[in-house]
Amino acid sequence: MASFDPDRISLPGGHYIHGRLVRETGTLPVSRPSDGKVYAMLPSADAGYVDAAVDSARRAFGGSDWARRPPRDRARAMRRWADLIEADIDYLAALESLGSTRPIDQARAWDVPYTAEGIRFFAEFADKCGGEVAATAHDHLGMQIAEPLGVVGAIAPWNFPLSMTCWKVAPALAAGNTVVLKPSEMTPFSAVRLATLAVEAGIPPGVFNVIQGSGPVAGEALCRHPGVAKVTFTGSTGTGRAVMRACAETGPKPVTLELGGKSPQLVFADVPDLERTAQTLAAAITGNAGQVCVAGSRLLVERPLLEPLVERLRQRFATLEPGLTWHAGTRFSPLISDAQARRVETIVSRAREAGAELLTGGTRFDTESGGCFYRPTILQVGASDNPAVREEIFGPVLTIQAFDDEEEALGLAEHEIYGLAAGVHTADLGRALRAVRRLSAGTVWVNRYGRSRDYILPTGGYKRSGIGRDLGRAAYEANLHHKSVLIDLTP
């Protein structure tokens, strides 16, 4: 798709409850990250709207045939949904890039196709995980029967709105549940379009509902609603604690939480292709302007490579220029808001005051657009208690620490708070496997970094980086509970 005019895109504003768009007066301003313009006013769901959405989902769970539908038929409807998403790529990609940090080229090449294929992936589980027969006495029959939970409450973040919605909604629906989704109030519209397409595909009204609003009001009400059987959330560790607290106090009910990260990348001097490694490292911190939970934000480099690697990273960072997300060819994203830009600036300033050396970047781009674009930044750091090493920045800021041997590298990689992801770059397979065993991280990439379309691999965190897993069979099974059955066969 070529560049498009952001003022000509129609917006599916409102909540989506029981198969219809519910419009009301908007009270929350929604801004475009690329130019800072307020382009919509979003309605904010109070407890009454949340109750209506949950009631819709409960009625669909009990009254429609979705949970009782033959699993292959449920999968067939989800595949039709995925086909409609792909056919709607022009509109969905424009909605995604208009109000988020996702450039239009990337929304078309990655976000929309990834979402459609993710729905197909989870649809395939519908008739694959049905329980099991247990080993019991010969005159008994023991079974475990898998059943859907009921209404799943989902809260999606703003950094990848479409794909994160897929992570939350697709496994829940494939397992026979119904869903009430609250997208981020900063990126609210693509989720409504997904829900509309679901109904067009033959998924019954009420199976997938969307409520708009803020986290402290709509999100809190959703987590605390007694009709919600489970909550799945992606976002910050602090908000994840609030979600867990609300679910504990009103349930307890299970949660899946993908939370913050401060992911290390270990680069050893034997990497076979330094240029390729530098390209991988640069993409891991500049993709989506660093606004990625698994961003490779801590670079640990064997000392002989320090200077040549820094120089190659500088060269790559220098080629990145800010661009409007609705312009074809844009490669570098804006930060989501001025508040986020100020947060990045504050942490960088504190890091320098604590002794970090600024090697490149460290300021905003000077643009006329009105958007917040922060220069890719490298901070060379000595002590691991530096704020830039300890705190999740969620911006294009890379810290570098040098090490002299493998043991020192693994010690520096350990983080007392986070354990979401890590990268290892080496030609020594033994060293790579030793690192994989030692690293406290839910995902470890070797000689690469970042997600691919390997939906089968679950993702999640250690420590305060989360509970439970998205993606993979684990995500599907997390939307089921199991009933034990024992039958006496004695005449």
Side-chain angles (χ1 to χ4, degrees), residues 406-447:
E406 181 180 321
E407 194 64 28
E408 184 182 10
L410 292 168
L412 290 171
E414 193 70 18
H415 197 286
E416 65 177 351
I417 297 174
Y418 297 118
L420 191 56
V424 180
H425 304 268
T426 178
D428 185 334
L429 179 60
R431 172 185 285 148
L433 292 176
R434 288 193 299 273
V436 165
R437 290 182 179 275
R438 289 275 301 276
L439 288 165
S440 299
T443 297
V444 181
W445 289 292
V446 178
N447 294 329

Side-chain angles (χ1 to χ4, degrees), residues 448-484:
R448 56 158 294 138
Y449 199 88
R451 303 197 194 285
S452 57
R453 294 186 183 180
D454 298 297
Y455 304 91
I456 192 60
L457 292 172
T459 183
Y462 286 15
K463 302 179 183 178
R464 299 183 206 175
S465 287
I467 294 175
R469 292 293 181 267
D470 288 311
L471 295 178
R473 177 170 177 158
Y476 178 82
E477 292 183 335
N479 286 280
L480 296 167
H481 50 192
H482 292 81
K483 180 180 293 181
S484 293

Side-chain angles (χ1 to χ4, degrees), residues 70-420:
R72 298 296 295 173
D73 290 349
R74 195 160 62 234
R76 190 173 296 110
M78 291 185 68
R79 290 196 298 269
R80 285 197 299 268
W81 183 25
D83 292 344
L84 289 177
I85 289 169
E86 285 185 335
D88 200 40
I89 189 170
D90 288 343
Y91 183 43
L92 268 174
L95 273 182
E96 190 79 339
S97 62
L98 169 66
S100 79
T101 57
R102 307 296 298 138
I104 182 63
D105 291 348
Q106 295 174 27
R108 284 185 59 84
W110 174 263
D111 301 66
V112 177
Y114 180 91
T115 299
E117 193 61 21
I119 290 169
R120 293 189 185 102
F121 170 82
F122 282 110
E124 292 167 7
F125 277 109
D127 65 346
K128 306 298 190 297
C129 302
E132 60 182 21
V133 175
T136 60
H138 75 282
D139 55 353
H140 292 162
L141 177 62
M143 297 180 289
Q144 279 196 342
I145 300 173
E147 297 180 337
L149 297 168
V151 179
V152 174
I155 303 175
W158 50 260
N159 55 339
F160 292 90
L162 277 173
S163 54
M164 292 297 98
T165 294
C166 168
W167 282 19
K168 305 303 180 189
V169 175
L173 296 192
N177 299 282
T178 58
V179 173
V180 177
L181 169 76
K182 192 202 87 65
S184 169
E185 60 272 30
M186 292 189 282
T187 54
F189 298 118
S190 58
V192 176
R193 183 60 180 167
L194 285 185
T196 304
L197 293 175
V199 172
E200 290 183 19
I203 296 174
V207 169
F208 180 14
N209 306 274
V210 179
I211 56 166
Q212 308 288 9
S214 67
V217 178
E220 179 82 358
L222 181 61
C223 292
R224 291 185 175 276
H225 198 287
V228 171
K230 176 201 170 170
V231 172
T232 174
F233 167 81
T234 293
S236 72
T237 296
T239 304
R241 281 195 292 262
V243 168
M244 194 171 184
R245 184 183 308 115
C247 290
E249 291 175 351
T250 57
K253 62 189 73 168
V255 295
T256 296
L257 306 174
E258 197 218 19
L259 306 178
K262 195 70 188 173
S263 301
Q265 297 210 64
L266 289 66
V267 182
F268 292 90
D270 65 351
V271 290
D273 188 338
L274 188 57
E275 294 290 344
R276 179 172 178 262
T277 300
Q279 181 179 345
T280 299
L281 299 172
I285 192 61
T286 60
N288 210 35
Q291 298 164 114
V292 185
C293 294
V294 296
S297 57
R298 291 192 293 136
L299 182 54
L300 311 175
V301 186
E302 194 164 2
R303 202 171 300 277
L305 283 189
L306 182 61
E307 290 187 10
L309 187 54
V310 167
E311 182 56 33
R312 284 166 173 78
L313 289 172
R314 276 198 185 109
Q315 292 171 2
R316 282 163 175 75
F317 287 179
T319 67
L320 296 174
E321 294 291 336
L324 302 175
T325 52
W326 48 83
H327 280 183
T330 290
R331 296 169 52 218
F332 188 66
S333 299
L335 296 179
I336 188 66
S337 66
D338 183 64
Q340 178 62 17
R342 292 196 305 271
R343 182 176 183 277
V344 172
E345 290 170 330
T346 297
I347 296 177
V348 169
S349 177
R350 289 170 47 224
R352 297 181 67 183
E353 290 171 2
E357 179 185 357
L358 180 66
L359 301 184
T360 190
T363 61
R364 300 191 197 195
F365 280 99
D366 184 15
T367 65
E368 298 179 355
S369 70
C372 298
F373 295 86
Y374 196 82
R375 295 180 184 276
T377 297
I378 301 175
L379 295 170
Q380 187 167 347
V381 180
S384 292
D385 62 355
N386 188 283
V389 175
R390 286 180 51 81
E391 300 176 27
E392 185 178 38
I393 299 175
F394 231 59
V397 179
L398 180 67
T399 64
I400 292 186
Q401 294 172 278
F403 63 83
D404 293 307
D405 56 40
E406 181 180 321
E407 194 64 28
E408 184 182 10
L410 292 168
L412 290 171
E414 193 70 18
H415 197 286
E416 65 177 351
I417 297 174
Y418 297 118
L420 191 56

